[in-house]
Amino acid sequence: MANSWRISALAERHRALGSKLEDWSGMGTAWTYASDLADEHEAIRTRAGLMDVSGLKKVHYVGPHAESLLEYATSRDISKVYPGKSVYATMLNEAGKFVDDCVIYRTGPNAFMVVHGSGNGHEMLVRSAQGRQVAVLFDDDLHDLSLQGPLAVDFLAEHVPGIRELPYFHHLQTKLFDRPVMISRTGYTGERGYEIFCKAADAPAIWDGILEQGKGLGIIPCAFTALDWLRVESYLLFFPYDNSEMYPFADQPAGDTLWELGLDFTVSPTKGEFRGGNEHRRLQGKERFKIFGVLLDGDKAAEAGDTLWADGKQVGVITCAMYSRLSGKSMAIARMDVPYAEQGAPLEVKGSLAVSAIAHSLPFDDPEKKKRAAKG
């Protein structure tokens, strides 16, 4: 953890569960616990699991120029985001290539909180804010506890009035266990879930309270690596692990288009000019690869970096993989040559495994995305 400079208030909780607190985005993060990842995956898919995702970079942008700052820097029409609403957005460089994703929360007329991923979007925004009427506050006191799974709403409904009526990608200011929190109906699992933003001083009590009082519902603590299993099933990308920064092109600099990543939906239909926007539109139809799914034979998971072959040549590379004992399927996300990114295209996997496979559309789980947006 030589690079870690941010501290989770739950560090001792994670160590007690068997974590060595590996570095992620400068914060010691529980990549694994002593428990079985398959149990954690099953809990989130069938009951609920609690994760500490405080390593996400939470930044407040406040002032009369905050909206215009985010309007130019991101792919979304910020004027459509009202207080209490949030939106998933991407950020591009001038060449129209993906550099970061984020969730933008509007907390007031001129106030936003942006939860950044692992890219350099935060640094880009800080540079763009210079000379404008916008204050930038990196908020490491704010912790983010993610309660994900079909029973998450049942647990919270016992403690938070009106939580069942909170729509997908909306948030509210409330209390949990008599502690002030902001609860957002967001997450990174493909399930109905909630992120609970709280003060660092309150994080241990909220963590303990959810696990103690949620024991009867089967709620358990889940480590960060469980997200890899969930994201494979639910088509959730994780920069840079699915990107050309990790799997470079032979003859081009790193950088992927939204069309290649399948993230073009993040550009609002009403979006005007934004950084990289003109190049983004020009690059439509010029995909060099596509993110696509792979369904493997057998009951073993592939490994990142395993290659995909067809017609005597390499046609792709697996970026993340898992085997689900719930569905009995071995699945993966891959970067694939465009002609082979078609449902049912026959493939061979080489590397940690040597098995047959087929190309498969994404997401594997809940393809209509009904679970995460369910009502009631």
Side-chain angles (χ1 to χ4, degrees):
M1 292 216 315
N3 295 323
S4 295
W5 53 276
R6 308 165 59 207
I7 305 299
S8 168
L10 297 169
E12 292 309 312
R13 299 313 195 265
H14 300 319
R15 289 193 180 98
L17 290 165
S19 172
K20 296 180 181 179
L21 292 182
E22 296 82 358
D23 179 84
W24 179 61
S25 289
M27 180 176 284
T29 300
W31 284 107
T32 57
Y33 292 139
S35 53
D36 189 338
L37 277 170
D39 293 336
E40 298 173 21
H41 168 263
E42 186 171 309
I44 292 173
R45 283 286 182 242
T46 63
R47 304 184 306 276
L50 180 65
M51 291 169 285
D52 176 14
V53 294
S54 300
L56 291 164
K57 293 174 280 189
K58 303 161 293 290
V59 189
H60 303 279
Y61 300 91
V62 183
H65 291 170
E67 181 174 321
S68 62
L69 175 74
L70 295 174
E71 182 67 37
Y72 182 70
T74 73
S75 61
R76 294 292 192 176
D77 184 346
I78 303 301
S79 69
K80 305 289 187 184
V81 184
Y82 46 83
K85 178 85 172 71
S86 60
V87 67
Y88 174 66
T90 52
M91 301 177 67
L92 307 180
N93 59 21
E94 298 291 352
K97 305 295 177 59
F98 176 94
V99 294
D100 204 0
D101 58 357
C102 59
V103 177
I104 303 169
Y105 300 81
R106 192 166 204 146
T107 54
N110 287 328
F112 300 85
M113 181 175 76
V114 180
V115 177
H116 291 278
S118 304
N120 65 354
H122 163 237
E123 291 80 1
M124 290 173 67
L125 274 174
V126 169
R127 289 194 296 270
S128 298
Q130 294 178 1
R132 300 193 186 194
Q133 294 183 52
V134 55
V136 180
L137 175 64
F138 192 104
D139 191 350
D140 242 7
D141 185 73
L142 195 67
H143 277 45
D144 184 354
L145 309 187
S146 188
L147 182 63
Q148 301 286 313
L151 299 187
V153 66
D154 295 329
F155 175 82
L156 289 175
E158 299 175 7
H159 305 278
V160 181
I163 194 69
R164 290 190 185 277
E165 287 71 52
L166 185 67
Y168 191 39
F169 272 93
H170 285 70
H171 51 94
L172 57 82
Q173 305 288 339
T174 183
K175 285 190 173 184
L176 180 59
F177 308 140
D178 207 35
R179 315 278 176 141
V181 295
M182 185 180 90
I183 298 181
S184 168
R185 191 168 164 189
T186 46
Y188 184 76
T189 62
E191 292 290 337
R192 181 171 185 164
Y194 300 84
E195 290 180 83
I196 302 160
F197 294 93
C198 63
K199 295 191 296 181
D202 293 335
I206 293 174
W207 175 270
D208 293 344
I210 292 173
L211 293 177
E212 290 168 7
Q213 298 187 37
K215 192 175 298 183
L217 291 175
I219 297 174
I220 64 170
C222 297
F224 212 71
T225 305
L227 295 176
D228 270 345
W229 293 29
L230 296 156
R231 76 183 189 86
V232 168
E233 295 176 308
S234 298
Y235 189 10
L236 301 166
L237 303 183
F238 189 177
F239 182 86
Y241 299 102
D242 303 302
N243 300 81
S244 54
E245 282 77 1
M246 185 70 71
Y247 300 97
F249 298 108
D251 56 352
Q252 301 174 53
D256 305 323
T257 72
L258 298 183
W259 310 107
E260 293 165 337
L261 298 172
L263 294 176
D264 47 287
F265 72 90
T266 64
V267 181
S268 297
T270 54
K271 184 68 178 181
E273 182 182 358
F274 68 108
R275 181 187 290 113
N278 290 336
E279 281 299 289
H280 160 72
R281 296 180 177 102
R282 186 184 68 82
L283 291 167
Q284 183 177 9
K286 299 180 180 179
E287 294 82 6
R288 299 158 296 177
F289 72 94
K290 281 191 176 181
I291 294 288
F292 213 71
V294 182
L295 188 61
L296 292 76
D297 290 345
D299 59 359
K300 303 294 183 183
E303 293 183 2
D306 285 352
T307 53
L308 300 171
W309 294 73
D311 300 328
K313 61 182 179 180
Q314 183 180 337
V315 299
V317 60
I318 286 174
T319 64
C320 194
M322 61 89 64
Y323 172 78
S324 170
R325 71 184 184 197
L326 287 176
S327 66
K329 294 179 180 179
S330 178
M331 296 164 276
I333 293 175
R335 294 168 65 89
M336 201 175 300
D337 291 355
V338 175
Y340 297 89
E342 297 286 346
Q343 176 67 35
L347 302 165
E348 294 292 328
V349 179
K350 296 182 181 182
S352 67
L353 297 177
V355 297
S356 297
I358 61 169
H360 196 286
S361 59
L362 293 169
F364 293 100
D365 182 76
D366 191 26
E368 296 181 4
K369 302 181 181 180
K370 290 183 177 179
K371 291 193 293 186
R372 62 191 80 175
K375 297 181 180 180

